[in-house]
Amino acid sequence: MFKTLIVILLSAVLVNNYVLRQFLGICPFLGVSKKLNQAVGMGVAVTFVMLLATAVTWPIQNFVLNNLNLGYLQTIVFILVIASLVQFVEIFLKKFIPALHKSLGVYLPLITTNCAVLGVTINNIKDGFNFLESMVSALGCGLGFMLAMVLFSGVRSRIDESDIPEHFKGLPATLIAASFVSLAFFGFEGIVENLFK
């Protein structure tokens, strides 16, 4: 059981990274990765929301929607749950960590529409994970999101310091750099499987 949880965690962080491999959550990835403190703050907030959303949506799916044959309402119910949780996180940050709340700005409410959060909750159900496996998967996905944000923050700081052609400045250079970071993560494919054979 412990081995399975480690594989799920490492796979979510490195192999099936939601941002760099599945291209979910690109909006905050590109928007909040300019500064390291903002990238870490967004990563922590998204990880927290992923864990909370999984802890709430898994029982709703398995004990309510499945029992009432309402599985077709999964996406709508999950979006409502995630939106409520993001509002909770925003209120919490505004009250207890106002500097982080101010630095995240408009991107904090965008967690509501962050498809990575919805993707985690739906994929955990689709993959047939039990509650503990779902929580480990959500933690891994959140840590993978944060890892991608922090790595890309470093890459973007190097881009800003570099002398690049005028036509590539701004979004083109950012997208090219994101593709290289994404390609680097393809190197992790097979590593997790080979570690635990």
Side-chain angles (χ1 to χ4, degrees), residues 19 24-34 38-39 42-43 46 104 106-108 110-117 145 148-149 152 156:
V19 178
L24 298 172
I26 295 294
C27 177
F29 175 69
L30 295 176
V32 190
S33 59
K34 287 183 181 181
Q38 289 180 350
M42 178 60 93
V46 168
L104 291 176
V106 71
Y107 293 102
L108 188 58
L110 286 178
I111 295 175
T112 302
T113 59
N114 187 340
C115 53
V117 178
F145 183 87
M149 294 284 289
F152 197 59
R156 285 187 77 170

Side-chain angles (χ1 to χ4, degrees), residues 77-130:
V77 171
F78 285 15
I79 288 172
L80 291 173
V81 168
I82 291 166
S84 302
L85 292 173
V86 169
Q87 289 303 313
F88 167 73
V89 170
E90 185 173 13
I91 291 167
F92 178 82
L93 288 179
K94 191 173 187 178
K95 182 168 178 121
F96 296 107
I97 314 174
L100 179 58
H101 180 266
K102 186 177 179 182
S103 72
L104 291 176
V106 71
Y107 293 102
L108 188 58
L110 286 178
I111 295 175
T112 302
T113 59
N114 187 340
C115 53
V117 178
L118 181 62
V120 167
T121 58
I122 290 176
N123 285 337
N124 285 337
I125 301 296
K126 186 186 81 173
D127 293 339
F129 290 155
N130 62 34

Side-chain angles (χ1 to χ4, degrees), residues 155-169:
V155 170
R156 285 187 77 170
S157 68
R158 295 293 301 264
I159 290 172
D160 292 341
E161 297 169 1
S162 299
D163 183 30
I164 57 175
E166 190 65 35
H167 297 298
F168 284 105
K169 288 185 178 176

Side-chain angles (χ1 to χ4, degrees), residues 165-179:
E166 190 65 35
H167 297 298
F168 284 105
K169 288 185 178 176
L171 188 59
T174 302
L175 292 175
I176 291 169
S179 67

